[in-house]
């Protein structure tokens, strides 16, 4: 792919023998060029003209006119695939490089070949180097170095199958500078070469997915590797910190490759590659004490040859590394120069564990799949080459002791802090304690149900910890070999462990991809760290007070962990102080009845209970006050705060006692925020569904209450409980105006009322009954002092019945008026229930008295 200088067009090359140009903004194809007879490998825009240059594996270079959409030239001269094309800054000198081991220079004005330079290697990348940027060798372009009649020289850099970056001059057809690649790519090749922005240097891509950044030095005589990015570490098998113990600066990593890579902790750039093994490296260890000596500054092969990449000696790194590999060898390395200090041969199978002695660097212990345990003398190799200077012959290490240690493969080796004891772990489910340096067996630790993968001595106690495939860690006493504690919590095999915090904590990693921190005293898991997606094979601890931890595993990742306990405690104390201040301000606001500030503080403290109490108190002051407080609260909330507020509303809405507050706050949110903004909140659909279901229930409940209130109003009105506007006097007048019906039925044929009692007794009896009813009602309302004897009432009634009809009616009306007047004076207007009871009692008494009178 290529992008033009304006950034609006994109060109792509394809295996369908075509090249296409795309509009970046519109996303559509503007040009489609076909003409190559093979795969199109490269595309390149002209910097000043609307032209496109393409090359393919058909050995042709084609020039296309973007205006006329046609091919204007076919440049033939290569005999193999053309893998790279590049234009000079003026835009008219074109170079093409291919796998036929030659570079052609073309003049695009006349579309003719200007020069042919043999490079003697198949090329995958070539780029024109502008003059005046201090690239090595470009200053040699002078009249004395040019051939007679030659054009101005074009300098270009190439990279190919030899793994070397070379700078060439087209005028002399000679290589003016060569820069060898690092050890990791010495046997490989470069697949791409590009000029960095601002002509600051070159970037080379290697076949093993690495990016190398080369920058010319200020003197213009050489280039240096400023950064190397590793594209794929493969499965990390082991790693160790390098540099001062209290402040490590680098980390050494071994993976499923033959190279040990050294990374800078500052930017994780690969600063060195230690090559020498011929198979996968399984184990690493670093010497605890190395005498700081100025290392070699490297070597050059004359004026036009460059340094070997990956020499970090300028940084003063003086660490010594021991490595064990599947090639059955043990090697010692000097990290400052990348040189091998010694080779130990003697194992007959893969070396899976290596370890230096702690107090000195005199001995190196190794063990492997051949079940052998060996002790090597490293002092001789370090004495022979203390600074890691390059030497043609690599000295051999001498084995001082060896023994057959286990019945199965040995997985790990650990040395005690005082160098007196050694612990080995094996797939035979045991761990053994040996005395150094003569390898005398002290004790055997039995108890694990699977193979034991790792061991570590306690820095303060006479104890050793082991990690096993049975998902447990065990702590053993060195005195008698008894198991003191068992740590359970991993869900797969435990592969590595280390002591922390002066032996009070254990850090373990396992095949479950987890790193766990344990309390030794309580055997409880304090914390779990999840940063890997596969088995964690490697773990290293370093830094001041063991504040740095590095882990690596099968997911090809290297994770750097930092102890942040002190920072977390400081942040927690600061947050607690801020919380206390806000709580005090909240209490003051409630005391001052400043509900607006109180609601804002309760929301900031994330205390929904306090916020609910504040809103309830605000609602007591009136709906307008509550609405003002809620709109001010939700008006300036962010998206995350809105989601939190809606979650509070959802929880409140589930309770009928708080639903009114929830609905009020929901109304404030809908007033202050547009629906489009609310729909952008994550999880809004679930919140709306939860609110809608409970809101429907609340509306149904309120509807039932309203309908019940209508029934109550109708019942009260039907029972005449309500007082007329005129007071009790109006009620007396109404009672007098409406005579009471003794008994009547509705005649269905005529629609008139029929007095049923009139057919059963004479009119005089009817008047007597009315008189008796009024008297009895009056008696029930009067007190005991106003009551009249029954015999007197009967005699009065009999006398009244014998009187003439007109006088009798007058007496009855007069008696009614007197009785009602006394009743109104003696008893005020009562409730509906008491009045109905009096009326019912009077009717019953009248009927009983009527029978007696008859």
């Amino acid at each position: 792919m290529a992008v033009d200088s304006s950034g609006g067009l994109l060109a792509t090359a394809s295996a369908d023998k075509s090249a296409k140009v795309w509009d970046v903004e519109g996303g559509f194809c503007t040009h489609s060029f076909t003409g190559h007879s093979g795969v199109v490998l490269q595309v390149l825009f002209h910097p000043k003209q609307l032209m496109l240059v393409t090359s393919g594996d058909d050995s042709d270079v084609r020039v296309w006119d973007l205006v006329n959409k046609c091919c204007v030239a076919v440049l033939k001269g290569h005999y193999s695939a053309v893998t790279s094309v590049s234009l000079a800054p003026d835009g008219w000198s074109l170079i093409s490089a291919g796998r036929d081991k030659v570079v052609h220079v073309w003049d695009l004005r006349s579309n003719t070949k200007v020069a042919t330079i043999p490079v003697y290697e198949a090329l995958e990348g070539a780029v024109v180097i502008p003059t005046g940027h201090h690239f090595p060798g470009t200053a040699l372009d002078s009249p004395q170095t040019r051939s007679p009649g030659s054009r101005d020289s074009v300098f270009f850099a190439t990279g190919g199958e030899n793994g070397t970056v070379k700078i060439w001059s087209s005028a002399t057809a000679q290589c003016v500078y060569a820069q060898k690649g690092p050890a990791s790519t010495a046997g490989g090749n470069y697949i791409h070469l590009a000029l960095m922005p601002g002509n600051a240097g070159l970037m080379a891509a290697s076949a093993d997915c690495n990016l190398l950044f080369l920058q010319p030095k200020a003197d213009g005589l050489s280039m240096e590797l400023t950064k190397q990015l590793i594209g794929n570490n493969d499965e990390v098998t082991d790693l160790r910190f390098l540099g001062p113990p209290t402040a490590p600066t680098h980390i050494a990593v071994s993976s499923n490759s033959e190279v040990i890579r050294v990374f800078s902790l500052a930017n994780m750039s690969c600063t060195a590659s230690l090559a020498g093994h011929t198979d996968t490296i399984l184990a690493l260890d670093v010497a605890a004490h190395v005498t700081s000596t100025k290392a070699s500054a490297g070597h050059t092969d004359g004026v036009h040859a460059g340094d070997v990449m990956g020499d970090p000696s300028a940084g003063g790194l003086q660490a010594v590394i021991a490595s064990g590999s599947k090639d059955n060898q043990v090697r010692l390395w000097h990290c400052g120069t990348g040189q091998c200090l010694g080779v130990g041969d003697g194992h007959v199978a893969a070396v899976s564990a290596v370890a230096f002695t702690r107090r000195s660097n005199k001995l190196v212990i190794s063990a492997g799949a051949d079940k052998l345990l060996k002790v090597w003398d490293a002092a001789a190799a370090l004495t022979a080459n203390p600074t890691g200077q390059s030497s043609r012959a690599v000295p051999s290490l001498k084995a001082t002791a060896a023994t057959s240690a286990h019945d199965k493969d040995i997985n790990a080796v650990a040395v005690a802090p005082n160098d007196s004891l050694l612990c080995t772990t094996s797939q035979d489910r045991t761990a053994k304690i040996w005395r150094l340096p003569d390898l005398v067996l002290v004790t055997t630790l039995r108890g694990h149900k699977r193979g034991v993968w790792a061991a570590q001595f306690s820095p303060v106690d006479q104890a050793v910890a082991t990690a096993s495939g049975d998902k447990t860690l065990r702590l053993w006493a060195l005195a008698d070999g008894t198991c003191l504690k068992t740590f359970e919590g991993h869900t797969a095999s435990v592969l590595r462990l280390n002591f922390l915090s002066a032996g009070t904590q254990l850090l373990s990693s396992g095949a479950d991809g987890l790193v766990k921190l344990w309390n030794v005293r309580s055997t409880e898991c304090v914390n779990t760290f999840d940063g890997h997606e596969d088995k964690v094979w490697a773990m290293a601890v370093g830094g001041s007070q063991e504040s740095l931890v590095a882990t690596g595993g099968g997911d090809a990742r290297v994770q750097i962990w930092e102890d942040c306990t002190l920072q977390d405690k400081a942040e927690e104390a600061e947050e607690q102080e801020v919380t206390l201040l806000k709580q005090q301000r909240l209490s003051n606001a409630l005391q001052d009845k400043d509900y607006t500030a109180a609601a804002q503080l309760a929301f900031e403290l994330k205390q929904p209970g306090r916020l609910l109490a504040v809103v309830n108190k605000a609602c007591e002051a009136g709906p307008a006050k509550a609405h003002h407080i809620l709109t001010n609260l939700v008006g300036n909330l962010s998206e995350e705060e809105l989601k939190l507020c809606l979650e509070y509303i959802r929880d409140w809405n589930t309770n009928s006692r708080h639903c009114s507050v929830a609905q009020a706050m929901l109304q404030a949110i809908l007033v202050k925020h547009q629906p489009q903004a609310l729909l952008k909140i994550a999880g809004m659909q679930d919140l709306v569904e939860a609110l809608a279901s409970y809101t429907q229930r609340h509306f149904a409940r309120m509807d039932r209450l309203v309908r019940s209130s209508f029934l109550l109003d109708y019942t009260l009105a039907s029972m005449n409980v309500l007082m007329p506007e005129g007071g009790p006097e109006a009620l007396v007048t109404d009672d007098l105006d409406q005579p009471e019906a003794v008994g009547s039925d509705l005649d269905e044929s005529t629609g008139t009322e029929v007095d049923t009692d009139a057919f059963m007794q004479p009119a005089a009896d009817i008047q007597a009954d009315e008189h008796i009813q009024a008297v009895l009602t009056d008696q029930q309302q009067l007190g005991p002092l106003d009551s009249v004897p029954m015999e007197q009432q009967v005699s009065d009634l009999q006398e009244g019945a014998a009187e003439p009809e007109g006088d009798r009616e007058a007496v009855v009306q007069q008696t009614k008026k007197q009785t009602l007047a006394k009743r109104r004076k003696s008893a005020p207007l009562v409730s509906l229930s008491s009045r109905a009871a009096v009326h019912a009692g009077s009717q019953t008494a009248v009927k009983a008295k009527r029978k007696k009178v008859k």
Side-chain angles (χ1 to χ4, degrees):
M1 290 191 299
V3 181
D4 74 331
S5 57
S6 66
L9 297 177
L10 171 69
T12 58
S14 173
D16 61 0
K17 306 177 185 180
S18 68
K20 295 181 183 294
V21 180
W22 306 82
D23 185 281
V24 175
E25 184 176 355
F28 56 87
C29 180
T30 60
H31 302 75
S32 180
F33 299 119
T34 58
H36 285 281
S37 59
V39 177
V40 183
L41 299 177
Q42 293 291 330
V43 287
L44 178 66
F45 280 103
H46 194 283
K48 298 179 180 179
Q49 303 293 326
L50 291 176
M51 299 171 60
L52 182 70
V53 181
T54 62
S55 66
D57 61 359
D58 56 357
S59 71
D60 289 344
V61 177
R62 291 178 176 264
V63 182
W64 307 86
D65 188 348
L66 296 180
V67 177
N68 299 321
K69 300 183 179 181
C70 63
C71 179
V72 297
V74 179
L75 309 179
K76 294 182 177 290
H78 288 279
Y79 296 95
S80 184
V82 182
T83 57
S84 182
V85 290
S86 180
L87 280 167
D90 60 1
W92 300 111
S93 296
L94 173 71
I95 65 168
S96 61
R99 295 170 186 158
D100 54 0
K101 302 182 181 181
V102 295
V103 175
H104 293 305
V105 181
W106 308 85
D107 186 359
L108 292 183
R109 292 186 179 91
S110 59
N111 295 323
T112 57
K113 186 191 303 182
V114 175
T116 299
I117 301 96
V119 294
Y120 310 107
E121 66 171 329
L123 298 180
E124 297 292 336
V127 60
V128 173
I129 295 179
T131 58
H133 289 277
H134 304 288
F135 281 90
T138 58
L140 299 178
D141 184 25
S142 61
Q144 292 78 12
T145 60
R146 298 181 191 171
S147 58
S150 65
R151 295 172 175 263
D152 292 341
S153 179
V154 175
F155 293 96
F156 57 92
T158 61
E161 62 181 359
N162 292 339
T164 303
V165 176
K166 296 180 180 180
I167 298 178
W168 301 79
S169 172
S170 63
T172 61
Q174 293 181 354
C175 176
V176 297
Y177 180 78
Q179 178 90 19
K180 295 185 68 66
S184 59
T185 58
N189 62 334
Y190 291 125
I191 59 174
H192 188 68
L193 196 66
L195 190 66
M196 294 178 62
N199 304 322
L202 296 174
M203 182 188 71
S206 63
D208 53 356
C209 306
N210 298 338
L211 292 178
L212 293 84
F213 298 87
L214 306 173
Q215 187 174 2
K217 293 183 178 180
D219 55 7
L221 299 178
S222 62
M223 300 180 69
E224 62 178 351
L225 178 66
T226 58
K227 183 182 293 186
Q228 181 180 1
L229 301 180
I230 306 300
N232 185 15
N233 286 317
D234 207 345
E235 189 170 1
V236 178
T237 57
D238 207 353
L239 48 81
R240 289 292 185 274
F241 283 111
L242 305 177
T246 57
T249 58
H250 295 74
I251 185 172
V253 179
S254 65
S255 60
N256 280 353
S257 67
E258 305 84 7
V259 180
I260 303 172
R261 293 188 174 97
V262 179
F263 294 88
S264 172
L265 292 178
N267 53 12
M268 291 307 293
S269 170
C270 182
T271 60
S273 298
L274 311 179
H277 284 288
T278 58
D279 207 339
T280 301
I281 300 172
L282 299 178
L284 295 177
D285 196 22
V286 60
H289 306 282
V290 177
T291 303
S292 179
T293 313
K294 184 175 178 60
S296 173
H299 0 263
T300 59
D301 298 330
V303 178
H304 307 305
D307 297 337
V308 177
M309 297 185 200
D311 180 11
S313 59
L317 186 62
Q318 302 296 323
V320 175
I321 293 178
S323 62
S325 171
K326 286 185 177 180
D327 59 6
N328 308 341
Q329 288 184 345
V330 177
R331 286 180 176 261
L332 301 182
W333 306 89
H334 192 283
C335 292
T337 59
Q339 298 298 325
C340 181
L341 303 179
V343 179
D345 292 312
H347 284 280
V348 295
V351 180
S352 56
V354 291
F356 275 102
T357 50
R358 301 294 93 187
R359 288 189 173 181
S360 65
N361 304 324
K362 296 180 180 179
L363 300 177
V364 176
I365 298 92
S366 65
D370 55 2
K371 311 164 192 174
L372 296 178
L373 180 63
K374 289 179 174 287
V375 179
W376 306 87
D377 183 9
L382 294 177
T383 304
N385 193 1
T387 61
Q389 295 286 347
S390 176
S391 58
R392 294 175 179 256
V394 178
S396 297
L397 300 178
K398 180 181 179 182
T400 60
T403 184
S404 179
H406 288 271
D407 297 334
K408 291 185 178 181
D409 298 358
I410 301 176
N411 294 324
V413 172
V415 180
N418 59 359
D419 292 347
S420 61
L421 296 175
L422 170 71
C423 181
T424 58
T425 63
S426 172
Q427 288 296 109
D428 61 5
R429 308 178 186 178
T430 64
K432 295 186 177 181
I433 307 298
W434 307 82
R435 183 180 294 112
L436 283 176
D438 50 358
L439 297 182
V440 175
L441 181 62
V442 177
T443 185
T444 301
L445 310 177
R446 304 179 187 274
H448 283 292
K449 299 177 182 179
R450 294 290 186 273
V452 186
W453 284 101
Q456 187 76 21
F457 282 93
S458 173
V460 293
D461 298 324
Q462 295 293 319
V464 62
T466 57
S468 170
D470 60 6
K471 311 175 188 179
T472 64
L473 296 90
R474 290 176 182 263
L475 187 65
W476 310 83
L478 294 177
D480 53 2
T482 57
C483 180
L484 301 176
K485 295 179 183 295
T486 302
F487 304 83
E488 297 180 354
H490 278 280
T491 59
S493 300
V494 188
L495 304 176
R496 290 290 185 271
L497 81 162
N498 279 96
F499 277 98
L500 297 178
S501 305
T504 60
Q505 291 180 319
L506 269 174
L507 190 67
S508 64
S509 64
D512 52 6
L514 302 177
V515 178
K516 288 182 175 290
L517 182 65
W518 307 85
N519 187 300
V520 174
R521 181 180 297 274
S522 63
T523 70
E524 294 180 354
C525 180
V526 178
N527 209 338
T528 300
F529 309 98
D530 185 5
H532 290 275
E533 298 176 357
D534 206 340
K535 300 179 180 67
V536 184
W537 288 108
M539 183 169 61
V541 178
S544 177
Q545 298 180 354
E546 300 161 338
S547 58
L548 286 179
V549 175
T551 57
D555 55 359
R557 293 181 180 179
V558 176
Q559 300 277 3
I560 307 297
W561 309 82
E562 185 177 2
D563 185 6
C564 56
T565 304
L566 297 178
Q567 293 87 333
D568 290 345
K569 288 184 178 179
E571 292 177 0
E572 184 179 357
E574 184 178 357
E575 290 179 0
Q576 187 175 4
E577 182 179 358
V578 172
T579 302
L580 291 175
L581 290 175
K582 288 184 177 180
Q583 289 179 349
Q584 183 61 42
R585 290 169 55 194
L586 175 59
S587 301
N588 295 339
L590 290 175
Q591 187 69 23
D592 298 338
K593 296 184 179 181
D594 186 1
Y595 297 124
T596 303
Q600 186 67 34
L601 289 170
F603 187 81
E604 292 177 0
L605 290 171
K606 296 182 179 180
Q607 296 179 354
R610 300 287 294 274
L611 179 60
L612 179 62
V614 172
V615 177
N616 281 328
K617 290 185 177 180
C619 291
E620 294 175 359
K625 182 70 173 179
H627 181 72
H628 175 71
I629 293 173
L630 293 178
T631 51
N632 290 338
L633 175 64
V634 304
N636 299 321
L637 295 182
S638 64
E639 185 173 325
E640 291 296 329
E641 292 174 339
L642 272 176
K643 182 180 179 182
L644 182 61
C645 188
L646 288 171
E647 290 176 353
Y648 291 165
I649 295 173
R650 176 198 61 192
D651 296 338
W652 296 345
N653 200 45
T654 58
N655 194 327
S656 60
R657 293 182 299 175
H658 312 316
C659 64
S660 58
V661 176
Q663 295 297 326
M665 184 171 285
L666 182 60
Q667 180 187 9
I669 291 178
L670 295 177
V671 168
K672 283 293 184 178
H673 297 276
Q674 296 295 328
Q676 294 79 3
L678 295 176
L679 289 175
K680 297 179 182 179
I681 299 176
M684 187 63 185
Q685 183 176 358
D686 296 336
L687 290 172
V688 170
E689 291 177 356
L691 286 170
S693 60
Y694 278 95
T695 301
Q696 291 174 359
R697 296 183 186 180
H698 296 318
F699 274 118
R701 180 173 54 83
M702 295 300 296
D703 184 62
R704 290 194 302 270
L705 290 175
V706 171
R707 284 186 291 175
S708 300
S709 66
F710 291 159
L711 179 61
L712 179 61
D713 293 342
Y714 172 76
T715 305
L716 294 176
S718 300
M719 300 175 71
N720 295 325
V721 173
L722 301 178
M723 178 73 69
E725 293 184 359
E729 293 77 6
L731 184 60
V732 173
T733 306
D734 293 341
D735 291 342
L736 292 177
D737 294 340
Q738 298 180 2
E740 298 180 4
V742 177
S744 63
D745 287 337
L746 183 65
D747 189 355
E748 297 180 357
S749 61
T750 61
T752 59
E753 291 185 353
V754 178
D755 191 354
T756 56
D757 292 339
F759 294 97
M760 299 178 63
Q761 54 184 339
D765 294 338
I766 294 174
Q767 294 177 2
D769 291 340
E770 292 177 354
H771 189 190
I772 292 171
Q773 181 179 354
V775 172
L776 290 176
T777 303
D778 187 19
Q779 183 180 0
Q780 290 177 358
Q781 297 297 330
L782 296 176
L785 297 178
D786 298 332
S787 61
V788 181
M790 180 61 65
E791 293 78 2
Q792 181 67 33
Q793 295 181 25
V794 173
S795 61
D796 293 340
L797 287 174
Q798 289 177 352
E799 293 177 358
E803 292 178 358
E805 184 176 355
D807 296 338
R808 187 180 302 169
E809 290 180 0
V811 172
V812 169
Q813 293 297 331
Q814 184 65 26
T815 305
K816 280 185 177 182
K817 290 181 180 180
Q818 294 176 359
T819 303
L820 290 175
K822 291 180 181 180
R823 184 169 57 188
R824 298 304 181 193
K825 292 180 180 180
S826 60
L829 187 63
V830 294
S831 64
L832 177 65
S833 59
S834 60
R835 185 175 182 183
V838 170
H839 182 68
S842 63
Q843 291 291 338
T844 305
V846 166
K847 290 182 180 180
K849 197 66 177 176
R850 183 183 303 165
K851 291 180 181 180
K852 291 182 179 181
V853 169
K854 288 181 180 181

